[in-house]
Amino acid sequence: MSKLACVAGEPSGDLLAAPVLSALKQIPDTSGLEVYGIGGPRMQEQGLRSDWPMETLSVRGYVEAIKQLPAILKLRKELISNLTGEGRPDVYLGIDAPDFNLGVELALRKAGIPTLHFVSPSIWAWRAGRITKIKQAVERMLCIFPFETEIYERAGISATYVGHPLASEIPLEPNPVTARQRIEKILSLPVNTLDGVVVSVLPGSRSSEIELIAPVFFETMAELMKRMLGQAIHFVIPVATPRLREPLEAQLKNTLDKNPDLKIYLIDGEADAVLEAADVVLIASGTATLQAALWKKPMVISYKVPWLTAQIMKRQGYLPYVGLPNILCGEFVVPELLQDDATPNKLADALVDWLNKPGKVAQLKTRFAEMHETLRRPTGLLVAQAVAQTITASKNRITV
């Protein structure tokens, strides 16, 4: 039986990798594949045996990573020891999480294990010097954005554009009415409760994000309601993981105590339905901004990290934007309000601007539709085929 080891370090990686594992079952050469490593619930549903907790790796930012570093290093040491010993796979697939995966891939490749990496590190945005390490660690890079392959080919690294899986999962034409009805049904709300303006609010999927950016987002909701007095306005927040519900409920209670007329709804998961239902989106920088763009939604991107993390990132970055929609379009098509600019007044101003300019929104939707077409590929199948090809090549090398 062939063996695939793979590691996803956070929920977004779990989301990206699940279609790959599903597609592997459809390829004759890999239909009986043993898959193990680190992953979340979606990957496990597709047959992954997760031998270590993914939560250990789900941190963001330098300061946060330093706190978790001993546990991360311990896990990586155990993983490498296992995969170069009794758990040796035919191929290793690292899914995103480059700070963790590149170190694993480097050790495994030195041990003669073929390594693939799915989702290029953001060498085009910052940390361009990392490409030297990538060349040593990664046999083949599987890129989700079309402009990335040229960067790798120039560096002498094999790279394949596989598209972004979200572009295939999200329909080209959203249906906000159906999405609102779905949310009303899940939350047991009366029919047509969400008539009027719907603002979707996504404060992130990590505890650190809920601590830093969610309070500002709740204040922004109160500020926006004041500016839209007399209009029916509803705020819907998808709770990314169960552990985030309690801190979000605490912040919600605090906000409603001060602003009892606010209509704010928490819903477990359902990020796609919440985005599809929206007139405008207030969102933390991350993969979810691409989801919002694929749903063709005007948005305001915001983010806050600890001061030291911000200073380090500022010195290493060279793109003027952090949001994926802006990076992919090569310009500021949606506003970004970060760090000290992430204030309730400025965020509310930017949201109102979208709501008051339907012509500008229509232009943005056309731009996002073009992006959607570019990113729409059978991603899971293309990655699965790359894995299968690598396994076959590896076995042929051993046979020879």
Short mmCIF file of all heavy atoms in Angstrom, two decimals, residues 148-198:
data_model
loop_
_atom_site.label_atom_id
_atom_site.label_comp_id
_atom_site.label_asym_id
_atom_site.label_seq_id
_atom_site.Cartn_x
_atom_site.Cartn_y
_atom_site.Cartn_z
N GLU A 148 2.42 32.98 -9.70
CA GLU A 148 3.49 32.44 -8.84
C GLU A 148 4.45 31.51 -9.59
O GLU A 148 5.63 31.44 -9.25
CB GLU A 148 2.87 31.68 -7.66
CG GLU A 148 2.09 32.57 -6.72
CD GLU A 148 1.36 31.79 -5.63
OE1 GLU A 148 0.83 30.70 -5.93
OE2 GLU A 148 1.32 32.27 -4.50
N THR A 149 3.96 30.77 -10.59
CA THR A 149 4.81 29.75 -11.23
C THR A 149 6.05 30.37 -11.86
O THR A 149 7.13 29.79 -11.81
CB THR A 149 4.02 28.97 -12.30
OG1 THR A 149 3.42 29.88 -13.21
CG2 THR A 149 2.94 28.13 -11.65
N GLU A 150 5.92 31.55 -12.45
CA GLU A 150 7.06 32.20 -13.09
C GLU A 150 8.18 32.50 -12.10
O GLU A 150 9.36 32.34 -12.40
CB GLU A 150 6.61 33.50 -13.77
CG GLU A 150 7.73 34.20 -14.54
CD GLU A 150 7.29 35.53 -15.14
OE1 GLU A 150 6.08 35.81 -15.14
OE2 GLU A 150 8.17 36.27 -15.59
N ILE A 151 7.80 32.90 -10.88
CA ILE A 151 8.79 33.19 -9.84
C ILE A 151 9.61 31.94 -9.54
O ILE A 151 10.84 31.99 -9.43
CB ILE A 151 8.08 33.69 -8.56
CG1 ILE A 151 7.31 34.98 -8.85
CG2 ILE A 151 9.09 33.90 -7.43
CD1 ILE A 151 6.40 35.44 -7.71
N TYR A 152 8.92 30.79 -9.42
CA TYR A 152 9.62 29.55 -9.09
C TYR A 152 10.45 29.04 -10.26
O TYR A 152 11.58 28.56 -10.07
CB TYR A 152 8.61 28.50 -8.63
CG TYR A 152 8.12 28.77 -7.24
CD1 TYR A 152 6.85 29.31 -7.02
CD2 TYR A 152 8.93 28.54 -6.13
CE1 TYR A 152 6.41 29.60 -5.74
CE2 TYR A 152 8.49 28.83 -4.85
CZ TYR A 152 7.24 29.35 -4.66
OH TYR A 152 6.82 29.66 -3.39
N GLU A 153 9.90 29.15 -11.44
CA GLU A 153 10.65 28.66 -12.60
C GLU A 153 11.95 29.45 -12.79
O GLU A 153 12.98 28.89 -13.16
CB GLU A 153 9.76 28.72 -13.85
CG GLU A 153 8.70 27.62 -13.85
CD GLU A 153 7.57 27.87 -14.83
OE1 GLU A 153 7.63 28.90 -15.56
OE2 GLU A 153 6.63 27.06 -14.86
N ARG A 154 11.90 30.75 -12.50
CA ARG A 154 13.12 31.56 -12.59
C ARG A 154 14.16 31.10 -11.58
O ARG A 154 15.36 31.22 -11.81
CB ARG A 154 12.79 33.04 -12.34
CG ARG A 154 12.17 33.76 -13.51
CD ARG A 154 12.38 35.28 -13.40
NE ARG A 154 11.95 35.81 -12.12
CZ ARG A 154 10.76 36.36 -11.89
NH1 ARG A 154 9.86 36.42 -12.85
NH2 ARG A 154 10.46 36.84 -10.70
N ALA A 155 13.69 30.57 -10.46
CA ALA A 155 14.61 30.11 -9.41
C ALA A 155 15.01 28.64 -9.60
O ALA A 155 15.74 28.09 -8.78
CB ALA A 155 13.95 30.29 -8.05
N GLY A 156 14.52 28.01 -10.67
CA GLY A 156 14.87 26.61 -10.94
C GLY A 156 14.11 25.61 -10.10
O GLY A 156 14.59 24.51 -9.84
N ILE A 157 12.89 25.98 -9.67
CA ILE A 157 12.06 25.10 -8.86
C ILE A 157 10.85 24.68 -9.68
O ILE A 157 10.17 25.52 -10.28
CB ILE A 157 11.58 25.82 -7.58
CG1 ILE A 157 12.79 26.30 -6.75
CG2 ILE A 157 10.68 24.91 -6.74
CD1 ILE A 157 12.42 27.26 -5.63
N SER A 158 10.58 23.38 -9.72
CA SER A 158 9.42 22.88 -10.45
C SER A 158 8.14 23.42 -9.79
O SER A 158 7.98 23.34 -8.57
CB SER A 158 9.41 21.35 -10.43
OG SER A 158 8.24 20.86 -11.05
N ALA A 159 7.24 23.98 -10.60
CA ALA A 159 6.01 24.57 -10.05
C ALA A 159 4.86 24.35 -11.01
O ALA A 159 5.03 24.39 -12.23
CB ALA A 159 6.20 26.06 -9.79
N THR A 160 3.68 24.12 -10.44
CA THR A 160 2.47 23.90 -11.23
C THR A 160 1.34 24.76 -10.69
O THR A 160 1.11 24.79 -9.48
CB THR A 160 2.05 22.41 -11.16
OG1 THR A 160 3.13 21.60 -11.59
CG2 THR A 160 0.83 22.15 -12.05
N TYR A 161 0.64 25.46 -11.58
CA TYR A 161 -0.53 26.24 -11.18
C TYR A 161 -1.73 25.31 -11.12
O TYR A 161 -2.07 24.66 -12.11
CB TYR A 161 -0.79 27.38 -12.16
CG TYR A 161 -2.09 28.11 -11.93
CD1 TYR A 161 -2.39 28.66 -10.67
CD2 TYR A 161 -3.04 28.25 -12.94
CE1 TYR A 161 -3.59 29.30 -10.44
CE2 TYR A 161 -4.24 28.92 -12.72
CZ TYR A 161 -4.51 29.44 -11.47
OH TYR A 161 -5.71 30.08 -11.24
N VAL A 162 -2.37 25.23 -9.95
CA VAL A 162 -3.50 24.31 -9.78
C VAL A 162 -4.82 25.04 -9.52
O VAL A 162 -5.85 24.41 -9.33
CB VAL A 162 -3.22 23.32 -8.62
CG1 VAL A 162 -2.02 22.43 -8.95
CG2 VAL A 162 -3.00 24.05 -7.29
N GLY A 163 -4.78 26.38 -9.52
CA GLY A 163 -5.99 27.14 -9.22
C GLY A 163 -6.29 27.14 -7.73
O GLY A 163 -5.59 26.52 -6.93
N HIS A 164 -7.33 27.86 -7.36
CA HIS A 164 -7.71 27.92 -5.95
C HIS A 164 -9.00 27.13 -5.74
O HIS A 164 -10.00 27.39 -6.42
CB HIS A 164 -7.92 29.37 -5.51
CG HIS A 164 -7.84 29.55 -4.03
ND1 HIS A 164 -8.77 29.00 -3.17
CD2 HIS A 164 -6.94 30.20 -3.25
CE1 HIS A 164 -8.43 29.31 -1.93
NE2 HIS A 164 -7.33 30.04 -1.95
N PRO A 165 -9.02 26.17 -4.83
CA PRO A 165 -10.20 25.32 -4.65
C PRO A 165 -11.47 26.09 -4.33
O PRO A 165 -12.57 25.67 -4.71
CB PRO A 165 -9.81 24.39 -3.50
CG PRO A 165 -8.64 25.02 -2.84
CD PRO A 165 -7.94 25.80 -3.90
N LEU A 166 -11.35 27.20 -3.65
CA LEU A 166 -12.56 27.97 -3.32
C LEU A 166 -13.26 28.48 -4.58
O LEU A 166 -14.47 28.63 -4.61
CB LEU A 166 -12.19 29.16 -2.42
CG LEU A 166 -11.79 28.85 -0.99
CD1 LEU A 166 -11.41 30.13 -0.26
CD2 LEU A 166 -12.92 28.14 -0.25
N ALA A 167 -12.48 28.73 -5.64
CA ALA A 167 -13.07 29.25 -6.87
C ALA A 167 -13.96 28.22 -7.55
O ALA A 167 -14.88 28.58 -8.29
CB ALA A 167 -11.96 29.70 -7.83
N SER A 168 -13.70 26.94 -7.31
CA SER A 168 -14.55 25.89 -7.86
C SER A 168 -15.75 25.61 -6.97
O SER A 168 -16.81 25.22 -7.46
CB SER A 168 -13.74 24.60 -8.06
OG SER A 168 -12.73 24.80 -9.02
N GLU A 169 -15.57 25.80 -5.68
CA GLU A 169 -16.66 25.51 -4.73
C GLU A 169 -17.72 26.61 -4.70
O GLU A 169 -18.90 26.34 -4.47
CB GLU A 169 -16.08 25.32 -3.33
CG GLU A 169 -15.19 24.08 -3.21
CD GLU A 169 -14.46 24.04 -1.88
OE1 GLU A 169 -14.86 24.79 -0.96
OE2 GLU A 169 -13.49 23.28 -1.76
N ILE A 170 -17.30 27.84 -4.94
CA ILE A 170 -18.22 28.98 -4.88
C ILE A 170 -18.80 29.24 -6.27
O ILE A 170 -18.05 29.35 -7.24
CB ILE A 170 -17.49 30.23 -4.35
CG1 ILE A 170 -17.09 30.01 -2.89
CG2 ILE A 170 -18.35 31.48 -4.49
CD1 ILE A 170 -16.22 31.11 -2.29
N PRO A 171 -20.11 29.32 -6.40
CA PRO A 171 -20.72 29.53 -7.72
C PRO A 171 -20.37 30.90 -8.29
O PRO A 171 -20.09 31.85 -7.54
CB PRO A 171 -22.23 29.41 -7.45
CG PRO A 171 -22.38 29.71 -6.00
CD PRO A 171 -21.13 29.21 -5.34
N LEU A 172 -20.40 31.00 -9.62
CA LEU A 172 -20.07 32.26 -10.27
C LEU A 172 -21.10 33.34 -9.96
O LEU A 172 -20.77 34.52 -9.91
CB LEU A 172 -19.96 32.06 -11.78
CG LEU A 172 -18.80 31.14 -12.24
CD1 LEU A 172 -18.89 30.86 -13.73
CD2 LEU A 172 -17.45 31.76 -11.90
N GLU A 173 -22.37 32.94 -9.76
CA GLU A 173 -23.44 33.89 -9.47
C GLU A 173 -23.99 33.66 -8.06
O GLU A 173 -24.61 32.63 -7.80
CB GLU A 173 -24.58 33.76 -10.49
CG GLU A 173 -24.24 34.30 -11.87
CD GLU A 173 -24.17 35.83 -11.90
OE1 GLU A 173 -24.79 36.47 -11.02
OE2 GLU A 173 -23.47 36.35 -12.78
N PRO A 174 -23.80 34.58 -7.13
CA PRO A 174 -24.36 34.41 -5.79
C PRO A 174 -25.88 34.62 -5.78
O PRO A 174 -26.43 35.25 -6.68
CB PRO A 174 -23.66 35.50 -4.97
CG PRO A 174 -23.20 36.51 -5.96
CD PRO A 174 -22.97 35.79 -7.25
N ASN A 175 -26.53 34.06 -4.75
CA ASN A 175 -27.97 34.21 -4.58
C ASN A 175 -28.24 34.68 -3.14
O ASN A 175 -28.50 33.86 -2.25
CB ASN A 175 -28.69 32.89 -4.86
CG ASN A 175 -30.20 33.05 -4.89
OD1 ASN A 175 -30.76 33.94 -4.26
ND2 ASN A 175 -30.87 32.18 -5.63
N PRO A 176 -28.16 35.99 -2.91
CA PRO A 176 -28.31 36.51 -1.54
C PRO A 176 -29.65 36.15 -0.88
O PRO A 176 -29.70 35.92 0.33
CB PRO A 176 -28.18 38.02 -1.72
CG PRO A 176 -27.46 38.20 -3.01
CD PRO A 176 -27.88 37.05 -3.88
N VAL A 177 -30.72 36.10 -1.66
CA VAL A 177 -32.04 35.82 -1.09
C VAL A 177 -32.06 34.42 -0.47
O VAL A 177 -32.50 34.21 0.67
CB VAL A 177 -33.15 35.95 -2.16
CG1 VAL A 177 -34.49 35.48 -1.59
CG2 VAL A 177 -33.24 37.39 -2.65
N THR A 178 -31.57 33.42 -1.23
CA THR A 178 -31.53 32.05 -0.73
C THR A 178 -30.63 31.94 0.49
O THR A 178 -30.95 31.23 1.45
CB THR A 178 -31.03 31.10 -1.84
OG1 THR A 178 -31.91 31.21 -2.95
CG2 THR A 178 -31.01 29.67 -1.35
N ALA A 179 -29.50 32.65 0.46
CA ALA A 179 -28.57 32.62 1.59
C ALA A 179 -29.21 33.19 2.85
O ALA A 179 -29.05 32.65 3.95
CB ALA A 179 -27.29 33.38 1.24
N ARG A 180 -29.95 34.28 2.70
CA ARG A 180 -30.62 34.88 3.86
C ARG A 180 -31.69 33.93 4.42
O ARG A 180 -31.83 33.80 5.64
CB ARG A 180 -31.25 36.22 3.47
CG ARG A 180 -30.21 37.28 3.16
CD ARG A 180 -30.83 38.63 2.81
NE ARG A 180 -29.78 39.56 2.38
CZ ARG A 180 -29.93 40.87 2.30
NH1 ARG A 180 -31.09 41.42 2.61
NH2 ARG A 180 -28.93 41.65 1.90
N GLN A 181 -32.38 33.26 3.52
CA GLN A 181 -33.40 32.30 3.97
C GLN A 181 -32.75 31.15 4.73
O GLN A 181 -33.29 30.67 5.74
CB GLN A 181 -34.17 31.77 2.77
CG GLN A 181 -35.08 32.80 2.12
CD GLN A 181 -35.67 32.35 0.80
OE1 GLN A 181 -35.24 31.33 0.22
NE2 GLN A 181 -36.67 33.06 0.30
N ARG A 182 -31.57 30.71 4.27
CA ARG A 182 -30.86 29.63 4.96
C ARG A 182 -30.47 30.06 6.38
O ARG A 182 -30.64 29.30 7.34
CB ARG A 182 -29.62 29.23 4.16
CG ARG A 182 -28.73 28.20 4.84
CD ARG A 182 -27.55 27.78 3.97
NE ARG A 182 -26.63 26.91 4.71
CZ ARG A 182 -26.81 25.62 4.89
NH1 ARG A 182 -27.89 25.04 4.41
NH2 ARG A 182 -25.94 24.90 5.56
N ILE A 183 -29.94 31.27 6.50
CA ILE A 183 -29.52 31.77 7.81
C ILE A 183 -30.73 31.89 8.74
O ILE A 183 -30.67 31.51 9.92
CB ILE A 183 -28.80 33.12 7.66
CG1 ILE A 183 -27.46 32.92 6.92
CG2 ILE A 183 -28.55 33.77 9.03
CD1 ILE A 183 -26.80 34.21 6.48
N GLU A 184 -31.83 32.42 8.22
CA GLU A 184 -33.05 32.56 9.03
C GLU A 184 -33.52 31.19 9.52
O GLU A 184 -33.92 31.05 10.69
CB GLU A 184 -34.15 33.21 8.19
CG GLU A 184 -33.91 34.70 7.93
CD GLU A 184 -34.85 35.28 6.88
OE1 GLU A 184 -35.55 34.47 6.20
OE2 GLU A 184 -34.88 36.50 6.72
N LYS A 185 -33.44 30.19 8.65
CA LYS A 185 -33.89 28.85 9.04
C LYS A 185 -32.98 28.25 10.11
O LYS A 185 -33.46 27.69 11.11
CB LYS A 185 -33.92 27.94 7.81
CG LYS A 185 -34.48 26.55 8.07
CD LYS A 185 -34.59 25.75 6.78
CE LYS A 185 -35.18 24.37 7.05
NZ LYS A 185 -35.30 23.56 5.80
N ILE A 186 -31.66 28.36 9.93
CA ILE A 186 -30.72 27.81 10.90
C ILE A 186 -30.88 28.47 12.26
O ILE A 186 -30.82 27.80 13.31
CB ILE A 186 -29.26 27.96 10.39
CG1 ILE A 186 -29.03 27.06 9.17
CG2 ILE A 186 -28.26 27.63 11.50
CD1 ILE A 186 -27.70 27.29 8.48
N LEU A 187 -31.10 29.78 12.27
CA LEU A 187 -31.21 30.52 13.53
C LEU A 187 -32.65 30.57 14.05
O LEU A 187 -32.91 31.23 15.07
CB LEU A 187 -30.69 31.95 13.33
CG LEU A 187 -29.20 32.08 13.02
CD1 LEU A 187 -28.81 33.54 12.82
CD2 LEU A 187 -28.34 31.47 14.13
N SER A 188 -33.56 29.89 13.36
CA SER A 188 -34.99 29.87 13.74
C SER A 188 -35.56 31.28 13.85
O SER A 188 -36.33 31.60 14.77
CB SER A 188 -35.16 29.13 15.08
OG SER A 188 -34.72 27.79 14.97
N LEU A 189 -35.20 32.11 12.89
CA LEU A 189 -35.72 33.47 12.83
C LEU A 189 -36.98 33.50 11.97
O LEU A 189 -37.13 32.69 11.05
CB LEU A 189 -34.68 34.41 12.20
CG LEU A 189 -33.34 34.56 12.94
CD1 LEU A 189 -32.35 35.36 12.09
CD2 LEU A 189 -33.55 35.24 14.29
N PRO A 190 -37.90 34.41 12.24
CA PRO A 190 -39.07 34.54 11.38
C PRO A 190 -38.65 34.84 9.93
O PRO A 190 -37.61 35.48 9.69
CB PRO A 190 -39.82 35.73 11.99
CG PRO A 190 -39.36 35.80 13.40
CD PRO A 190 -37.93 35.34 13.38
N VAL A 191 -39.45 34.39 8.98
CA VAL A 191 -39.18 34.65 7.56
C VAL A 191 -39.09 36.16 7.32
O VAL A 191 -39.85 36.94 7.91
CB VAL A 191 -40.29 34.03 6.68
CG1 VAL A 191 -40.09 34.41 5.22
CG2 VAL A 191 -40.31 32.52 6.85
N ASN A 192 -38.12 36.54 6.48
CA ASN A 192 -37.88 37.94 6.11
C ASN A 192 -37.29 38.79 7.22
O ASN A 192 -37.25 40.03 7.12
CB ASN A 192 -39.16 38.61 5.58
CG ASN A 192 -39.70 37.92 4.34
OD1 ASN A 192 -38.94 37.36 3.55
ND2 ASN A 192 -41.02 37.93 4.18
N THR A 193 -36.79 38.14 8.29
CA THR A 193 -36.11 38.89 9.35
C THR A 193 -34.95 39.70 8.79
O THR A 193 -34.70 40.84 9.21
CB THR A 193 -35.58 37.93 10.44
OG1 THR A 193 -36.68 37.30 11.09
CG2 THR A 193 -34.76 38.69 11.49
N LEU A 194 -34.24 39.12 7.83
CA LEU A 194 -33.03 39.76 7.31
C LEU A 194 -33.30 40.68 6.12
O LEU A 194 -32.38 41.05 5.40
CB LEU A 194 -32.00 38.69 6.92
CG LEU A 194 -31.47 37.83 8.08
CD1 LEU A 194 -30.48 36.81 7.59
CD2 LEU A 194 -30.83 38.71 9.16
N ASP A 195 -34.56 41.05 5.92
CA ASP A 195 -34.84 42.07 4.91
C ASP A 195 -34.16 43.38 5.31
O ASP A 195 -34.07 43.71 6.50
CB ASP A 195 -36.36 42.31 4.79
CG ASP A 195 -37.04 41.21 3.99
OD1 ASP A 195 -36.34 40.27 3.55
OD2 ASP A 195 -38.27 41.27 3.83
N GLY A 196 -33.70 44.14 4.34
CA GLY A 196 -32.97 45.37 4.63
C GLY A 196 -31.50 45.18 4.31
O GLY A 196 -31.13 44.39 3.43
N VAL A 197 -30.64 45.90 5.00
CA VAL A 197 -29.19 45.84 4.77
C VAL A 197 -28.58 44.76 5.66
O VAL A 197 -28.81 44.74 6.87
CB VAL A 197 -28.53 47.19 5.06
CG1 VAL A 197 -27.01 47.09 4.93
CG2 VAL A 197 -29.07 48.26 4.12
N VAL A 198 -27.82 43.85 5.05
CA VAL A 198 -27.10 42.83 5.80
C VAL A 198 -25.61 43.12 5.72
O VAL A 198 -25.04 43.22 4.62
CB VAL A 198 -27.39 41.41 5.26
CG1 VAL A 198 -26.48 40.38 5.94
CG2 VAL A 198 -28.86 41.04 5.49
#
